[in-house]
Amino acid sequence: MEIPVPNPVKKVPIHLQSSQNRVLIKNGKLVNHDTMVDNDIFIEDGIVKMIGRNLVIPGGTRVIDASSMLVLPGGIDPHTHFELEFMGAISVDDFYQGTKAAIAGGTTMIIDFVLPNKDESLIDTYQKWRSRATNKVCCDYGLHVAVTSWSKQTKQEMEELCNKHGVNSFKVFMAYKGVFMLNDSELYNTFEACKELGALPMVHAENGDIVHENSIRLLKSGINGPDGHALSRSEDVETEALNRACTIANQVGSPLYIVHIMSKPAADALKKHRNEQINRCGKSNIFGETLAAAVGTYWDKNKLTCWNDAAAHILSPPLRNDPYTPTYLLEMLANGNLQTTGSDNATFSSEQKAIGKGDFTKIPNGVNGVEDRMSVIWEKGVVSGLLSPCKFVEITSTNTAKIFNIFPRKGCIAVGSDADIVVWNPNAKRTISSKTHHQAVDYNIFEGMEVHGVPEYVLVGGRVCLDEGNLKVVQGHGKFIPTPPHADFVYGNENVNEESNDQQDYPQDNLKPTALKISPASSVTSEISNCSKSPMIHTGRAMRMEGQRDLQSSSFSISSDSNDVKKSSIRVRNPPGGQSKGFW
Ligand code: URQ
Ligand code: ZN
Ligand code: ZN
């Protein structure tokens, strides 16, 4: 199948130029969602080619020393809105600035939302998004498409998007009445179409009718400032919609992905629906996403005293006026009741936010997060002891890759996967600020937050785009990553890919939306720490699992250095724990 690229542009395969097409990351601790292992990684032509110790590598390979660092799969942000026209403004982070900022923070792929106006063609709008993105993206990207009206044509276009354009997810809005909102019949039809196509419906869960009526009432009573926003859309309003969406999905028998869960009761409701399914059939295909904003901050009335500060924190569903919500949502992530974390990056400048002075319903909704998501979740989750590094990888990368059917090409570091890799320094600190961030927006909702966990190197498709903390991004380097329908994780046996030990050739052509099978890293690794659920001990140097040897302190490394080995062929000398079976 061929995916037409709008306005095709000849891309220079930058990562194939010079000796940079070969990189060895050595002496680091490789963290996947299921294992933490001392291991080296050899990358060639954008792909992970070998994992192990004592690797024999070609001369001239660039060596990155990751001593006392963690080596993680690049973050995947499942929820961005770059250059989005919304509520009378266009979000200021475009596909260049947004993906550049993503890389600076350790994210190597984003999934943006194609947002057609009511009755606009889904395909035309999708093409518009591809044109906007293709020359600008510094990291890889995928696309979800929103369904904002329902007709026979909608269904046909959904089918075409799934089968020809690499889209396997469709977002519907239960809010934004008169703009994007669908009624229950339309939700039902969309979910049913998704089920037929093997696609995943995504839902913005807020009762738009109630928000609308509340807003009128609040404005009439003289409440027109930013406080009115959250008052118009309480936790109940979010939870009711979430319950209704789950009910409709259950009636139809479709899976469901709830975007931006922002409150404790909504997370509880999701947990209830998931558990009902798990009790019935052993697993659930209802998934929940929360945001860096929701776990990193809250609506703190004492701090948000001026209009600008408050307006900058407005998104929907809103940040809750409750200091306990962030920890609660992190616990939900830790115990598997929520699956993914996004940024919902939709950044409007202070000037744009000011459109809503005198009427909170006109303040463009959206906050930053694409750059700081990884650090904020690390700080609030791992440093606080709520999440293990493996869990961190799972909720910032792996689960998103599985749900949107691009695992194990993305979401893990394994032989054959894309070399989207972050060398993460868990000991370094930085203070988040709009003065130093790479986003275009003039505000940062995490301003002043000190975070441990800083990316030192970020590789996107094998290219070193963050190099010892210095950004070296290239516009247009990112690829469109098609997301094929019928994800095993959503529709079938979620372990099919993981348990397969068959090494297979697979298409390197990113335009072919094929589910890939690659052996997990554990099949070629030496010392494996199984780090599924235990809390972490913060040693002051690095995180380690309770009751486990601190592999970080080991000085053991038998990796060949590029200076030691001058062979032009690629070969593996039985690494401890098994030989890497390559596909070349
Ligand atoms: O609802 C969304 O996801 C976008 C359109 C706006 N951002 C927000 O307030 N959540
Ligand atoms: Zn939304
Ligand atoms: Zn959004």
Side-chain angles (χ1 to χ4, degrees):
M1 174 180 51
E2 244 192 307
I3 312 278
V5 182
N7 304 331
V9 190
K10 272 213 161 156
K11 287 193 183 178
V12 185
I14 293 134
H15 65 287
L16 296 179
Q17 293 171 356
S18 79
S19 60
Q20 280 232 0
N21 74 326
R22 295 193 184 115
V23 181
L24 176 72
I25 302 173
K26 61 181 287 191
N27 302 327
K29 186 181 294 298
L30 167 57
V31 186
N32 272 311
H33 71 285
D34 52 355
T35 54
M36 280 219 290
V37 189
D38 285 335
N39 248 329
D40 303 338
I41 299 148
F42 176 67
I43 295 149
E44 190 173 46
D45 296 338
I47 304 291
V48 175
K49 287 288 168 75
M50 291 190 277
I51 297 174
R53 293 298 204 196
N54 201 22
L55 303 177
V56 178
I57 55 157
T61 297
R62 174 168 181 193
V63 178
I64 291 175
D65 184 6
S67 299
S68 66
M69 310 258 185
L70 304 176
V71 183
L72 317 173
I76 306 174
D77 187 338
H79 193 148
T80 65
H81 301 282
F82 294 145
E83 49 192 292
L84 170 70
E85 200 175 337
F86 184 51
M87 299 181 75
I90 298 175
S91 61
V92 291
D93 281 310
D94 67 3
F95 280 94
Y96 169 63
Q97 203 95 15
T99 54
K100 176 176 156 185
I103 291 170
T107 289
T108 55
M109 178 173 171
I110 58 101
I111 315 184
D112 205 81
F113 286 87
V114 174
L115 210 36
N117 292 318
K118 268 194 189 300
D119 300 323
E120 235 174 18
S121 151
L122 304 191
I123 307 271
D124 290 353
T125 317
Y126 163 87
Q127 301 289 15
K128 210 190 282 177
W129 247 256
R130 289 289 305 271
S131 309
R132 277 180 199 165
T134 189
N135 286 339
K136 290 189 182 171
V137 279
C138 304
C139 72
D140 289 351
Y141 76 106
L143 291 172
H144 315 288
V145 174
V147 172
T148 54
S149 54
W150 184 256
S151 71
K152 222 170 135 192
Q153 187 193 333
T154 313
K155 195 174 169 188
Q156 282 160 3
E157 292 198 309
M158 286 172 72
E159 191 174 342
E160 195 178 325
L161 285 164
C162 264
N163 295 333
K164 293 197 186 148
H165 298 283
V167 172
N168 74 2
S169 43
F170 296 92
K171 180 179 180 182
V172 292
F173 292 88
M174 299 170 85
Y176 306 128
K177 184 173 171 155
V179 185
F180 299 136
M181 183 172 135
L182 296 188
N183 64 32
D184 288 357
S185 301
E186 293 165 329
L187 293 179
Y188 191 104
N189 287 323
T190 310
F191 291 7
E192 203 169 46
C194 284
K195 186 188 169 192
E196 276 172 41
L197 295 168
L200 180 62
M202 308 171 79
V203 68
H204 174 133
E206 285 186 299
N207 184 319
D209 284 319
I210 296 181
V211 173
H212 180 74
E213 297 304 328
N214 281 346
S215 299
I216 293 170
R217 185 169 48 80
L218 285 158
L219 288 170
K220 262 193 198 151
S221 71
I223 298 173
N224 60 17
D227 275 344
H229 178 73
L231 294 173
S232 71
R233 43 214 320 151
S234 65
E235 296 184 334
D236 275 4
V237 170
E238 181 185 4
T239 310
E240 182 280 329
L242 187 147
N243 277 319
R244 186 155 38 97
C246 290
T247 305
I248 296 171
N250 277 337
Q251 295 297 309
V252 170
S254 73
L256 187 61
Y257 180 101
I258 319 275
V259 299
H260 48 44
I261 291 176
M262 299 296 285
S263 69
K264 295 187 292 190
D268 284 342
L270 179 87
K271 177 180 169 184
K272 181 184 128 259
H273 287 285
R274 280 181 56 82
N275 283 341
E276 279 168 10
Q277 284 193 333
I278 290 166
N279 290 338
R280 248 193 341 264
C281 58
K283 60 185 178 183
S284 173
N285 59 7
I286 300 177
F287 306 103
E289 167 200 278
T290 190
L291 303 183
V295 302
T297 188
Y298 67 100
W299 189 269
D300 184 350
K301 273 193 158 174
N302 301 322
K303 265 174 50 186
L304 302 178
T305 45
C306 86
W307 196 96
N308 279 348
D309 284 347
H313 283 74
I314 280 189
L315 79 161
S316 299
L319 291 167
R320 303 302 174 182
N321 176 22
D322 170 20
Y324 302 106
T325 299
T327 308
Y328 196 84
L329 294 173
L330 279 163
E331 282 165 356
M332 286 295 205
L333 287 163
N335 55 31
N337 293 312
L338 289 170
Q339 287 67 48
T340 64
T341 51
S343 64
D344 197 0
N345 197 92
T347 40
F348 297 99
S349 66
S350 305
E351 202 184 325
Q352 290 172 320
K353 289 270 182 183
I355 295 169
K357 278 216 162 129
D359 181 348
F360 66 84
T361 65
K362 297 197 165 61
I363 300 170
N365 287 197
V367 295
N368 64 286
V370 74
E371 181 166 352
D372 299 317
R373 180 182 70 110
M374 299 283 278
S375 289
V376 165
I377 295 168
W378 183 268
E379 182 67 23
K380 299 290 180 182
V382 183
V383 175
S384 72
L386 290 169
L387 305 174
S388 72
C390 290
K391 197 70 187 179
F392 172 80
V393 166
E394 186 178 298
I395 60 154
T396 56
S397 181
T398 314
N399 278 348
T400 295
K402 288 182 174 180
I403 290 170
F404 296 102
N405 211 10
I406 48 174
F407 181 88
R409 177 182 181 178
K410 305 283 187 190
C412 67
I413 299 175
V415 173
S417 57
D418 285 0
D420 296 341
I421 295 176
V422 179
V423 178
W424 186 260
N425 186 344
N427 306 312
K429 283 190 277 187
R430 72 180 177 100
T431 302
I432 296 176
S433 173
S434 64
K435 293 183 182 66
T436 49
H437 72 199
H438 300 85
Q439 300 200 221
V441 68
D442 58 356
Y443 196 92
N444 193 312
I445 58 165
F446 307 115
E447 186 74 33
M449 187 188 292
E450 190 177 75
V451 289
H452 302 76
V454 175
E456 299 280 350
Y457 300 89
V458 177
L459 282 73
V460 179
R463 185 180 190 280
V464 184
C465 293
L466 183 77
D467 198 342
E468 279 184 66
N470 300 311
L471 261 184
K472 296 178 177 171
V473 298
V474 175
Q475 286 205 48
H477 170 64
K479 301 181 293 294
F480 174 68
I481 305 296
T483 53
H486 303 288
D488 281 331
F489 195 70
V490 176
Y491 277 96
N493 177 356
E494 66 168 29
N495 292 321
V496 167
N497 279 340
E498 271 191 294
E499 285 174 2
S500 164
N501 262 330
D502 295 333
Q503 285 279 354
Q504 295 196 349
D505 283 9
Y506 66 89
Q508 293 297 311
D509 177 357
N510 79 84
L511 296 180
K512 290 189 180 126
T514 318
L516 308 174
K517 288 189 175 181
I518 303 174
S519 291
S522 53
S523 66
V524 294
T525 51
S526 48
E527 297 176 84
I528 298 175
S529 314
N530 190 334
C531 60
S532 45
K533 288 206 168 65
S534 324
M536 306 305 302
I537 296 169
H538 192 174
T539 62
R541 283 186 62 234
M543 305 298 148
R544 121 180 116 80
M545 299 304 303
E546 196 169 10
Q548 275 179 346
R549 190 159 71 82
D550 183 1
L551 301 175
Q552 191 83 47
S553 65
S554 164
S555 58
F556 173 75
S557 169
I558 51 170
S559 255
S560 299
D561 199 280
S562 58
N563 295 327
D564 303 335
V565 182
K566 301 259 188 305
K567 299 237 162 90
S568 57
S569 63
I570 300 170
R571 195 156 59 78
V572 183
R573 271 189 216 139
N574 286 332
Q579 186 166 3
S580 165
K581 290 181 283 173
F583 52 76
W584 47 86

